Amino acid sequence: LSSMKLPSRPELIDFEGVSMIHYFTDNWEKVKNFQARPDDILIATYPKAGTTWVSYILDLLYFGNGAPERQTSQPIYTRVPFLESCFKVIPSGTELADNLPTSPRLIKTHLPVQLVPKSFWEQNSRIVYVARNAKDNAVSYFHFDRMNMGEPEPGDWNTFLQTFIEGKKGFGSWFDHVNGWWEKKLTYSNLLYMFYEDLVEDTGHEVAHLCSFLGLSTSVEEREKITKGVQFDAMKQNKMTNYSTIPVMDFKISPFMRKGKVGDWKSHFTVAQNEQFDEVYKQKMKNTTVKFRTEI
Ligand code: A3P
């Protein structure tokens, strides 16, 4: 991975009606035909909604007391393969997932619900979806695109915000993503829909919630230990969870573990941008019951 170099910033492409970048569609035949297992746990998110956080919580719940070298020498992105990723210089997500020695397998995806490989539904695998309010999600995605050379050029904040509103970002529109997955909950019961804001407000409560969804009888002491270990500062210091081992990310521009806050959007949105956004939001969210908090 240390020799990983990507040629230049990728362009957006249209893929089955969703804006995507080729790193996540190049392996599509294998992604589409991926063989899920009944005990797989899929962690699904729109990018920058708290994927790494929930991945690490699940990893500790299942494997925190197992082989110590997993926690000390395996970065989180190798423990939890990114299903649709295909960066050529490292094994693809499907290859990594196929070769995971552990059970259950924890697998990460950013795919909108309609593009998820059908075997996950057929196998009735458990799925944890994490959603984050649109404003903070946009700000986090902006800074991520600035520092990650594997992402399209974000432009300045206003340019980025307009493309976010139009859904012209990798993995498409935030609105379609959160709404599509919310709808899925109506017909697929093995899906837990979580919110980043709840995790920030009371991590311990959400860890307990995850345990009950997953049928885990993790002790109170163990849960408290995990809750402490997954706080922002702990994960920022931890080389296995802070992405410092990925060279395409330039932490001098912005670190992966950036702020970890609810409401940071207030330091980015102008009054005019906020009014515009609220107007669009009302339109795009008028037919859904999902409710987000932009402050806690
Ligand atoms: P910010 O850019 O707002 O700081 P993902 O893992 O989906 O890429 O999401 C990354 C976002 O989640 C970043 O948001 C990151 O700081 C935040 N995050 C990661 N771990 C966190 C934690 N333990 N507590 C709070 N936020 C966390």
Side-chain angles (χ1 to χ4, degrees), residues 48-53 132 140 196 230 232 257-260:
K48 312 318 291 173
T51 331
T52 314
W53 197 0
R132 184 177 191 181
S140 183
Y196 178 91
V230 304
F232 182 80
M257 297 291 299
R258 194 185 57 92
K259 282 203 177 162

Side-chain angles (χ1 to χ4, degrees), residues 179-197:
N179 288 334
W181 277 97
W182 183 255
E183 287 284 301
K184 190 72 186 180
K185 235 166 51 84
L186 299 173
T187 54
Y188 190 79
S189 59
N190 255 350
L191 169 61
L192 177 67
Y193 198 106
M194 303 179 77
F195 295 93
Y196 178 91
E197 292 73 26

Side-chain angles (χ1 to χ4, degrees), residues 166-290:
E166 291 163 24
K168 299 264 162 44
K169 301 306 319 160
F171 301 99
S173 150
W174 176 93
F175 301 95
D176 294 346
H177 210 281
V178 300
N179 288 334
W181 277 97
W182 183 255
E183 287 284 301
K184 190 72 186 180
K185 235 166 51 84
L186 299 173
T187 54
Y188 190 79
S189 59
N190 255 350
L191 169 61
L192 177 67
Y193 198 106
M194 303 179 77
F195 295 93
Y196 178 91
E197 292 73 26
D198 295 345
L199 271 161
V200 172
E201 188 174 60
D202 190 345
T203 313
H205 183 266
E206 295 308 296
V207 170
H209 196 167
L210 275 165
C211 288
S212 83
F213 172 69
L214 298 166
L216 293 172
S217 52
T218 314
S219 68
V220 177
E221 295 74 38
E222 186 62 22
R223 276 195 269 126
E224 281 172 359
K225 196 173 122 203
I226 292 174
T227 300
K228 217 169 136 220
V230 304
Q231 290 310 304
F232 182 80
D233 291 332
M235 283 183 64
K236 192 179 170 88
Q237 301 308 321
N238 182 342
K239 282 199 178 60
M240 295 300 117
T241 59
N242 67 11
Y243 273 79
S244 57
T245 44
I246 293 201
V248 297
M249 296 183 184
D250 187 346
F251 283 15
K252 288 197 288 298
I253 299 177
S254 180
F256 182 87
M257 297 291 299
R258 194 185 57 92
K259 282 203 177 162
K261 294 258 182 305
V262 179
D264 185 43
W265 63 269
K266 290 176 192 168
S267 64
H268 289 73
F269 282 69
T270 63
V271 172
Q273 285 167 345
N274 196 38
E275 281 171 1
Q276 179 207 6
F277 198 88
D278 286 346
E279 204 45 54
V280 173
Y281 194 91
K282 222 170 30 198
Q283 254 330 93
K284 294 206 187 267
M285 301 296 279
K286 67 171 189 281
N287 294 322
T288 177
T289 52
V290 62

Side-chain angles (χ1 to χ4, degrees), residues 112-148:
V113 71
Q114 74 276 17
L115 293 181
V116 169
K118 68 174 187 318
S119 65
F120 283 102
W121 314 120
E122 290 166 355
Q123 296 297 319
N124 199 30
S125 311
R126 283 159 302 175
I127 304 183
V128 176
Y129 185 79
V130 193
R132 184 177 191 181
N133 82 76
K135 293 178 183 176
D136 283 327
N137 205 144
V139 168
S140 183
Y141 208 163
F142 170 62
H143 289 292
F144 184 67
D145 282 5
R146 287 174 56 234
M147 65 83 149
N148 185 347

Side-chain angles (χ1 to χ4, degrees), residues 67-88:
E69 65 273 16
R70 182 182 177 93
Q71 299 303 329
T72 53
S73 63
Q74 271 197 51
I76 190 67
Y77 50 80
T78 62
R79 295 180 219 168
V80 182
F82 182 5
L83 184 65
E84 58 273 23
S85 72
C86 179
F87 293 108
K88 305 283 191 315

